[in-house]
């Protein structure tokens, strides 16, 4: 049979059988070569690869995925409303890191929002049908049932930040405790003594750890923790505004604010300006994430830098390892990994 590029005897796409005939081997041998099996001799592999090149054979990836019980797809699941995803730089930076690392593979990325009960039910049905090889979960709350569902379905999963200290799933996080400590220690070094903290959502473990870091930095420096200086927020700009108003009403003598995100710091800044407080002369301000918001604020915002893109890359690396290791979760046990990446305080004019 003469080679005619991508044309077969029938004039259509070359088939697996035609590659096998050209190479003088069986259909199963061609399949093993295409799927990278080591159970093939070098000479046979070379003959099959030559036949593939001469015929211009293109493997049917859908059939290969089905045969290998693989979909070649990963889902990035965000259990938040779409509006929050597009409003917060954290998510776009995470997506950038995930996409960059995944571009080195042939895997497809699906972005799925599950902010409502209806979306969660639809997602549960989708996952139960095993339409993806693995799942990345970002912004997971303590009571979120999705991680347990993934474990029950034995779908490989990695989450951005554990739900608690007893997390059983593989996770990637930044050092929230250390980042918060560095922010408060910096404010103390500037002579601030009435340091308020606007927290993130406290059903998020990372936000809890930032509160821990805030508290212990004060205690270690010999200061009491004033509970009236801690105000819950929700990682949104409006949440930062509300929290700052509450803090000023309770403690008008506040001289510094550590916000649990740059977005909340932006909201707090608006209120401070409206109340005639000069930043940093009257009130020093520190955020968290070191997003573009921090660099573009007036004055530029001191912020704790999370390596968010690197976290996204690490999540993909760990998830691909989980996918390669298809043993049931119960037999993996303590092999689950909890990766924690370092943070860095970036000092600017707001403090």
């Amino acid at each position: 049979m003469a080679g005619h590029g991508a044309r077969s005897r029938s004039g259509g796409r070359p088939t697996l059988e035609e590659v096998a005939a050209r190479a003088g081997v069986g259909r199963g041998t061609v399949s093993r070569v295409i799927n990278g099996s080591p159970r093939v001799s070098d000479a046979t592999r070379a003959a099959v690869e030559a036949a593939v090149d001469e015929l211009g054979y293109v493997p049917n990836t859908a059939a290969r995925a089905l045969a290998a019980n693989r979909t070649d797809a990963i889902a990035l699941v965000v259990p938040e409303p779409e509006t929050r995803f597009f409003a917060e730089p954290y998510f776009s930076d995470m997506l950038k890191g995930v996409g960059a690392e995944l571009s080195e593979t042939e895997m497809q990325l699906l972005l799925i929002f599950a902010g409502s009960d209806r979306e969660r039910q639809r997602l549960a049905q989708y996952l139960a049908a095993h339409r993806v090889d693995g799942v990345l979960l970002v912004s997971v709350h303590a009571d979120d049932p999705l991680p347990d569902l993934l474990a029950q379905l034995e779908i490989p999963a990695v989450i951005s930040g554990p739900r608690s200290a007893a997390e059983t799933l593989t996770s990637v996080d930044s050092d929230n405790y250390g980042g918060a400590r560095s922010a408060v220690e910096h404010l103390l070094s500037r002579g601030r003594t009435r340091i308020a903290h606007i927290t993130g959502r406290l059903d998020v473990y990372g936000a809890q750890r930032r509160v821990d870091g805030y508290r212990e930095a004060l205690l270690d420096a010999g200061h009491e923790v004033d509970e009236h200086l801690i105000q819950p927020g929700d990682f949104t700009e409006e949440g930062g505004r509300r929290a700052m108003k509450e803090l000023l009403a309770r403690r008008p003598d506040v001289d510094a604010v550590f916000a649990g995100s740059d977005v909340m710091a932006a909201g707090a800044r608006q209120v401070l300006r409206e109340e005639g407080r000069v930043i940093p002369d009257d009130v020093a301000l520190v955020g968290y994430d070191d997003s573009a918001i921090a660099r573009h604020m007036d004055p530029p915002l001191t912020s704790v830098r999370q390596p968010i893109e690197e976290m996204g890359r690490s999540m993909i690396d760990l998830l691909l390892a989980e996918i390669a290791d298809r043993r049931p979760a119960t037999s993996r046990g303590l092999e689950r990994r909890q990766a924690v990446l370092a943070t860095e305080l970036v000092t600017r004019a707001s403090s």
Side-chain angles (χ1 to χ4, degrees):
M1 179 171 58
H4 295 292
R7 298 178 63 187
S8 70
R9 287 173 180 162
S10 61
R13 287 178 55 174
T15 65
L16 197 69
E17 288 77 7
E18 287 174 321
V19 173
R22 182 61 170 264
V25 298
R27 188 179 186 280
T29 300
V30 174
S31 181
R32 281 194 292 276
V33 171
I34 290 171
N35 285 288
S37 170
R39 296 185 296 115
V40 182
S41 70
D42 291 342
T44 299
R45 186 182 308 281
V48 171
E49 289 174 349
V52 166
D53 289 341
E54 290 168 14
L55 292 174
Y57 173 73
V58 179
N60 184 331
T61 53
R64 284 171 57 196
L66 186 63
N69 196 26
R70 290 277 298 273
T71 65
D72 288 334
I74 285 173
L76 175 63
V77 177
V78 184
E80 300 282 357
E82 290 181 42
T83 50
R84 188 182 164 206
F85 180 89
F86 291 108
E88 293 187 32
Y90 174 87
F91 292 110
S92 58
D93 288 347
M94 178 69 72
L95 184 59
K96 194 183 301 181
V98 167
E101 195 70 8
L102 207 56
S103 68
E104 304 296 322
T105 76
E106 294 183 0
M107 304 287 274
Q108 296 295 314
L109 181 66
L110 306 176
L111 178 59
I112 300 175
F113 296 102
S116 68
D117 289 340
R118 183 180 178 185
E119 287 173 335
R120 285 167 181 267
Q121 290 170 3
R122 193 161 58 230
L123 173 63
Q125 294 170 351
Y126 186 82
L127 294 175
H130 289 270
R131 293 181 177 176
V132 293
D133 293 326
V135 171
L136 301 173
L137 263 178
V138 299
S139 188
V140 184
H141 301 180
D143 59 351
D144 198 319
L146 284 174
D148 292 332
L149 172 65
L150 292 167
Q152 180 183 339
L153 295 172
E154 295 188 355
I155 296 175
V158 177
I159 61 177
S160 65
R163 291 166 290 172
S164 71
E167 182 57 70
T168 55
L169 289 179
T170 296
S171 68
V172 176
D173 204 0
S174 69
D175 182 5
N176 291 290
Y177 172 84
R181 277 195 70 109
S182 68
V184 176
E185 288 167 355
H186 165 72
L187 290 168
L188 289 168
S189 75
R190 292 288 202 263
R192 310 296 168 138
T193 57
R194 296 176 299 280
I195 303 170
H197 178 36
I198 299 175
T199 78
R201 290 187 55 163
L202 292 177
D203 59 349
V204 174
Y205 184 61
Q208 297 171 26
R209 292 298 288 154
R210 290 175 201 176
V211 176
D212 292 342
Y214 163 84
R215 289 176 180 279
E216 294 195 28
L218 289 172
L219 291 171
D220 288 350
H223 295 271
E224 291 187 7
V225 177
D226 183 347
E227 298 299 328
H228 290 106
L229 286 170
I230 301 175
Q231 181 63 34
D234 59 3
F235 291 121
T236 69
E237 187 172 353
E238 181 55 34
R241 283 183 58 85
R242 287 195 304 268
M244 194 69 247
K245 286 180 179 178
E246 289 282 344
L247 286 166
L248 288 176
R250 281 203 308 263
R251 289 295 304 268
D253 61 340
V254 61
D255 63 7
V257 177
F258 165 47
S261 74
D262 292 345
V263 175
M264 290 194 298
R269 169 187 164 277
Q270 291 172 15
V271 173
L272 289 169
R273 284 252 170 115
E274 290 165 4
E275 295 296 325
R277 307 298 177 96
V278 178
I279 300 170
D281 298 0
D282 299 327
V283 180
L285 184 61
V286 176
Y288 205 104
D289 289 334
D290 190 37
S291 63
I293 290 172
R295 297 188 292 277
H296 296 146
M297 272 177 61
D298 178 24
L301 180 68
T302 295
S303 185
V304 178
R305 176 179 293 165
Q306 290 195 89
I308 300 173
E309 285 190 39
E310 186 183 344
M311 288 167 62
R313 289 178 176 273
S314 296
M315 288 179 72
I316 284 293
D317 289 342
L318 290 172
L319 184 60
L320 292 177
E322 292 266 326
I323 290 170
D325 180 5
R326 299 290 297 191
R327 284 176 293 151
T330 50
S331 67
R332 281 196 290 259
L334 296 177
E335 293 174 37
R336 294 295 192 178
R337 290 187 56 191
Q338 317 293 330
V340 180
L341 307 184
T343 56
E344 174 191 358
L345 184 71
V346 180
T347 306
R348 298 190 179 93
S350 71
S351 61

